Amino acid sequence: MEKEKPFKLFVPPRLSSSQVSAVKPQTIGGDSNFFKGFNKCIEDDFGLPFGITKPSKHGENIDTDPVLQKVNFLPRIEEVGTNHSNFLEELKNPQFETSEPISRVYSKLYKEAEKIKKWKVNIEFELNQNEKKLQENRKIIEAQRKAIQELQFENEKVSLKLEDGIQENKELLKENNATRHLCNLLKETCAWSAEKSKKYEYEREETRQLYAGLNNNLEKMVQAFEELRVGAESCRQEMHFKLKEAYEKIQQLEKEHVKEVRDKEHKVSLLLMQIDEKELKIKDLKLLLQEYNDKINQFQEKMKWQNENLKESKDQQDHLMSELEEIKMSLQKSEISQKTLEEELQAAGKMIILLTREKEAQMEEISEAKITHSSVVAEFEATISTLKELLTTEQHRLEKNEEQLKTLILELQKKSSELEEEKLCKKNKELQLEEESKRTLEVNQKLLKEKKHFEMITEKLQATEIELNETLQIKEKEVHDLKVKFNTAVENEQNYLEQVAELKTELEQERLKSFELTVNFNKISLENKQIAQERITTIQESKKLQKDINDNKKQEEKMMKQIENLEETKNLLRDELDAVKEELKQKNEEVESKLNESEENARSIENEILKKDKQIKILENKFNSLKKQMENKTKSFEELQQENKALKKKSIAENKQLNAYEIKINKLELELDDANKRFEEMTDNYQKEIANKNILEENLLKEVEKAKTIADEAVKLQKEIDLRCQHKITEMVALMEKHKDQYDKIVEERDSELGLYKNKEQEQSMKKTSLEIEVSSLKSKLSSLETQLKIETEEKEKLLREAKENKDLLKERKDKKIQTSVSATSETSKWKFDSKKDASQNASLSVKSVDCGKSKDKEEYFWTPAKKSLSISSLKAYTVKTPTKMKMLQSEKRNPVKEGTIKKRKMLFEFDTNSDSSEHTDLLSMVSDEEQFQTLYKNYPKPSHPCVATPKMDHRPSSIATPGSALKFAAMRKMREDGWAAVSRVDRKKKMKEAEKLFT
Amino acid sequence: PPNCLPPQLNIQNLLTNRWCLTKQIPTLAKSTFQATWMAYDMVVMRTNPALADSMRRLEDAFLNCKEEMEKNWQELLNETKPKQ
């Protein structure tokens, strides 16, 4: 739409350029007016001599068609101008040069008139031709005006479209802004979505990890559960096995228990049997007990007796035992004493022997020592003397020792007393003696050792010999004493031995006694043992018996208890028996009474029986009769049975038939049931199908509704599309019309080109027919003359008026006439040509030269307007040429354009497609349909459009074809647009209304 | 001629808009792709049969375990009792 603007705005000037004849009056309006006035003046001038018909026609021509005449008239006018000038000169000359004869003037005038007449005839013919041309041109102009109006309308349409386009542009701008806003929003949303997507990705990863964790946990849980299950199963199985085992154990235990119970029961039964047996035994034992009791009593008596005996024997035994013990004690004592004594004896004997031997050895040694000592004494006598002193000292000691001896003797005496005492207590003293003897032996040994020591000492110390001698003496004394003692001891020993012998005898006696006693004791002990054994046996027996007795007692007690119980029961039974007896007695009484009664009854019954026997007899008779009847009836019954059998057979057959029928009926019923089922199934199926079909119907109805809605929408869309199509059709029609107009334009252009060629040919023909040009020049001269004539007539009229006016003035001022005329002429000339030079020339010419300078003046005069005309023509040419140039340019451009019109149309289509990108397919599709639409809408838009569309298509190819020249045209366009804008703005509203009225 | 806004601005606007749009198309495409990918991932994750299977397995295991646990004592008694 935007691109169409310049074209459409550029249209009107192009129209002017294209239509040369139409544009001229606008551009050269001033000239036309000038010439109008000029012509009018001329006509006025001509009106007087030649009549009023011509100028009227001329005036009409001028009024009606000032534009068309220009092209053809201009040269003529120029010629007329020239002629006129000449004629004016001629006219002026006779006015001013009255000297020349009027006849010549008249003849000239006549000739001129004849020429004018001829010229007039020619002119009239030309005028008629021109009028015809004018009419044609008028028609063309009207058509063009209409075309212009239509173009304006189209322009307005286009402007409307433009406004729509602007609005669309605005909308597009808004859309743009909206899109920009959307872009920003999109950016924000993109950023937002990116952030969100990042967040979501993070969350997704988290969720994924969580899912993985969950899966792991679940698997772990599953495993744990399975493990639990397995554990539970294992536990259960274990428990099951344990339970089974326990149950088996229990069963075994139960069995065992049962067995035990049975065994126990058996045992119990056995025990019961045993009890029975034992009871029997107890009974036997009781008997035995009684016997044993008797025996026990006997035994007890015996026991008592034996006990007494025993007690006696025991006392005896005790006595004996005491005696024995005493004896044993004495024996033991005696034995011990004997043994001790024997030992003492043996020891003493041994000791004595040993002592004797030792003493003998000692004696021998002493004797030898005496010998040695005697020898030594001799030797020592010397020393004795020396030792006598020592003796004296030692005599003191001896005295002391004597005192000690005395003390010792006392002690001995005491000891002897003690010995005596010890004699009483033999053993101790003997032991003491033995010990003393031992001690003495030991002392002897010690003494021997001491002796040895002493000998050693004597050998070493002779001084001690005396002491030793003394001691020897003492010891000899002591030995004597000891011998005495020994003798006494021996005596004692002998006494003791005697005593021992006595004791031995006593012992032997006692032993014998003890033997006897032991024999007696043994006997008694044996007896005792026997008795004890017997006793033990008896005691055991008695114990057993006691146990038995105890058991028996217990049993007895039990039995007693049982017996008591039994007695109680017996008592109870006795009571019961008593009661029963009483009852029996009562019953006996009753029975007796009843017996009596029954006897009575029997009697009565016997009577009745007798009666009934009679009745029986009667009944037997009846029975016999009935038997007969029965036989009859049995016969009839047999017959009936036979009949029944037959009937039964029949009934069986019928039953069979019935069964068959029933089977058939059952089959039929089954079939019926099946049929019913099938029917029901079929009905169900049909119902289901019906329901399904109903659903399908509903669905289909919904679909139909949807389809209806879709159809409605489609209809709406169709309508909209139709509207759009109509719009597009109109647009396309317009486009087609434009194309047609293009073609028409091209045709017209070709026609115009042809016209140009024709013009060229005409020009050539004009060149060829120079004579014709001369004729035309003459004609122009004639026209100029006519104009001059008109002017002259006007001048004449003016002059006449002036003359009439100035007659009085002329009368008053005759000298000033010429001057006034001159001034008038000068003024007229000035008014005529707008050039002072011409006026001055005219004035100078009019003043200086009248006849001689005619040709020159004519030439000059002719030249001056020729110049003018040239200038004007140049102007005209410019004005004319601009469109021609444009035309030429266009033509020049169109020659290639015509060659490449098809391409440019394609370009046009492409442009259109580019302009409406959304609908280009439709447009292209519509292009094919254009012909159809043309056929359809032939009558409707065609007649109006060819004229309308012509200007449009002129410029498109040019504008499109010449992109370089577009800038030049753009300037032109702007200028023209401004002009047109001014026009259109002023008249838009009115035209809008008109256009609305027209096009709506 | 009607009041026409300068076409250059329109063209510039158009160009800028088109540039913006062309610039944002890939971002949009990326975002849409990411969104679809996310949706696909989410769908895949949500419709992951492994979880449902694991859950079913867990349920089965739990039920088996429960049955076993309930069996343990009742059915033991039931198994032992009828024999008597």
Side-chain angles (χ1 to χ4, degrees), chain B residues 15-16 18 22-23 25-26 28 32 35-36 44 51 56-57 65 72-73 79-80 84:
Chain B
L15 286 166
T16 48
R18 190 173 282 178
T22 48
K23 204 179 178 184
I25 280 157
L28 259 173
T32 46
T36 46
V44 164
L51 197 131
R56 275 178 200 160
R57 280 197 300 164
C65 196
N72 247 338
W73 311 108
E79 280 176 0
T80 49
Q84 289 175 351

Side-chain angles (χ1 to χ4, degrees), chain A residues 46-63:
Chain A
F46 277 112
L48 289 168
F50 303 109
I52 309 152
T53 53
K54 287 173 191 176
S56 68
K57 281 177 183 176
H58 201 76
E60 278 175 11
N61 284 325
I62 291 153
D63 288 326

Side-chain angles (χ1 to χ4, degrees), chain A residues 43 46 50-61 116-117 119-121 123-124 127 786 790:
Chain A
E43 280 168 4
F46 277 112
F50 303 109
I52 309 152
T53 53
K54 287 173 191 176
S56 68
K57 281 177 183 176
H58 201 76
E60 278 175 11
N61 284 325
I116 284 158
K117 274 180 183 176
W119 176 72
K120 197 179 145 187
V121 168
I123 278 165
E124 276 177 354
L127 274 166
E786 275 180 350
K790 281 176 186 175

